[in-house]
PDB file of all heavy atoms in Angstrom:
ATOM      1  N   ILE H 124      -9.880  -5.382  -1.850  1.00  0.00           N
ATOM      2  CA  ILE H 124      -9.768  -6.406  -2.895  1.00  0.00           C
ATOM      3  C   ILE H 124      -8.690  -6.001  -3.897  1.00  0.00           C
ATOM      4  O   ILE H 124      -8.776  -4.999  -4.564  1.00  0.00           O
ATOM      5  CB  ILE H 124     -11.137  -6.561  -3.690  1.00  0.00           C
ATOM      6  CG1 ILE H 124     -12.279  -6.847  -2.683  1.00  0.00           C
ATOM      7  CG2 ILE H 124     -11.061  -7.620  -4.706  1.00  0.00           C
ATOM      8  CD1 ILE H 124     -13.653  -6.730  -3.265  1.00  0.00           C
ATOM      9  N   CYS H 125      -7.628  -6.837  -3.907  1.00  0.00           N
ATOM     10  CA  CYS H 125      -6.456  -6.491  -4.742  1.00  0.00           C
ATOM     11  C   CYS H 125      -6.484  -7.090  -6.141  1.00  0.00           C
ATOM     12  O   CYS H 125      -6.929  -8.200  -6.357  1.00  0.00           O
ATOM     13  CB  CYS H 125      -5.167  -6.971  -4.034  1.00  0.00           C
ATOM     14  SG  CYS H 125      -4.930  -6.305  -2.446  1.00  0.00           S
ATOM     15  N   VAL H 126      -6.106  -6.275  -7.096  1.00  0.00           N
ATOM     16  CA  VAL H 126      -6.018  -6.704  -8.530  1.00  0.00           C
ATOM     17  C   VAL H 126      -4.734  -6.113  -9.081  1.00  0.00           C
ATOM     18  O   VAL H 126      -4.166  -5.182  -8.541  1.00  0.00           O
ATOM     19  CB  VAL H 126      -7.207  -6.205  -9.333  1.00  0.00           C
ATOM     20  CG1 VAL H 126      -8.548  -6.830  -8.843  1.00  0.00           C
ATOM     21  CG2 VAL H 126      -7.355  -4.681  -9.328  1.00  0.00           C
ATOM     22  N   GLY H 127      -4.268  -6.718 -10.181  1.00  0.00           N
ATOM     23  CA  GLY H 127      -3.088  -6.163 -10.836  1.00  0.00           C
ATOM     24  C   GLY H 127      -2.516  -7.097 -11.819  1.00  0.00           C
ATOM     25  O   GLY H 127      -2.644  -8.313 -11.675  1.00  0.00           O
ATOM     26  N   GLU H 128      -1.899  -6.551 -12.904  1.00  0.00           N
ATOM     27  CA  GLU H 128      -1.332  -7.405 -13.937  1.00  0.00           C
ATOM     28  C   GLU H 128       0.105  -7.664 -13.751  1.00  0.00           C
ATOM     29  O   GLU H 128       0.813  -6.931 -13.031  1.00  0.00           O
ATOM     30  CB  GLU H 128      -1.570  -6.685 -15.325  1.00  0.00           C
ATOM     31  CG  GLU H 128      -0.482  -5.605 -15.693  1.00  0.00           C
ATOM     32  CD  GLU H 128      -0.639  -4.345 -14.890  1.00  0.00           C
ATOM     33  OE1 GLU H 128      -1.620  -4.219 -14.123  1.00  0.00           O
ATOM     34  OE2 GLU H 128       0.203  -3.373 -15.101  1.00  0.00           O
ATOM     35  N   THR H 129       0.624  -8.740 -14.373  1.00  0.00           N
ATOM     36  CA  THR H 129       2.055  -9.015 -14.364  1.00  0.00           C
ATOM     37  C   THR H 129       2.736  -8.208 -15.436  1.00  0.00           C
ATOM     38  O   THR H 129       2.071  -7.599 -16.274  1.00  0.00           O
ATOM     39  CB  THR H 129       2.383 -10.546 -14.704  1.00  0.00           C
ATOM     40  OG1 THR H 129       1.877 -10.789 -15.970  1.00  0.00           O
ATOM     41  CG2 THR H 129       1.641 -11.432 -13.677  1.00  0.00           C
ATOM     42  N   LEU H 130       4.055  -8.198 -15.376  1.00  0.00           N
ATOM     43  CA  LEU H 130       4.829  -7.415 -16.401  1.00  0.00           C
ATOM     44  C   LEU H 130       4.543  -7.968 -17.806  1.00  0.00           C
ATOM     45  O   LEU H 130       4.294  -7.252 -18.799  1.00  0.00           O
ATOM     46  CB  LEU H 130       6.305  -7.410 -16.122  1.00  0.00           C
ATOM     47  CG  LEU H 130       7.195  -6.560 -17.006  1.00  0.00           C
ATOM     48  CD1 LEU H 130       6.748  -5.102 -16.911  1.00  0.00           C
ATOM     49  CD2 LEU H 130       8.661  -6.684 -16.611  1.00  0.00           C
ATOM     50  N   GLU H 131       4.542  -9.313 -17.872  1.00  0.00           N
ATOM     51  CA  GLU H 131       4.299  -9.920 -19.152  1.00  0.00           C
ATOM     52  C   GLU H 131       2.943  -9.517 -19.763  1.00  0.00           C
ATOM     53  O   GLU H 131       2.781  -9.205 -20.939  1.00  0.00           O
ATOM     54  CB  GLU H 131       4.376 -11.453 -18.971  1.00  0.00           C
ATOM     55  CG  GLU H 131       4.528 -12.256 -20.246  1.00  0.00           C
ATOM     56  CD  GLU H 131       4.399 -13.734 -20.007  1.00  0.00           C
ATOM     57  OE1 GLU H 131       4.324 -14.152 -18.822  1.00  0.00           O
ATOM     58  OE2 GLU H 131       4.347 -14.409 -20.992  1.00  0.00           O
ATOM     59  N   GLU H 132       1.920  -9.488 -18.913  1.00  0.00           N
ATOM     60  CA  GLU H 132       0.591  -9.080 -19.392  1.00  0.00           C
ATOM     61  C   GLU H 132       0.602  -7.624 -19.804  1.00  0.00           C
ATOM     62  O   GLU H 132      -0.047  -7.271 -20.775  1.00  0.00           O
ATOM     63  CB  GLU H 132      -0.404  -9.338 -18.266  1.00  0.00           C
ATOM     64  CG  GLU H 132      -0.754 -10.832 -18.018  1.00  0.00           C
ATOM     65  CD  GLU H 132      -1.286 -11.193 -16.681  1.00  0.00           C
ATOM     66  OE1 GLU H 132      -1.243 -10.337 -15.694  1.00  0.00           O
ATOM     67  OE2 GLU H 132      -1.731 -12.354 -16.519  1.00  0.00           O
TER      68      GLU H 132
END
Side-chain angles (χ1 to χ4, degrees):
I124 304 167
C125 301
V126 296
E128 82 286 358
T129 61
L130 185 58
E131 196 185 353
E132 289 158 347

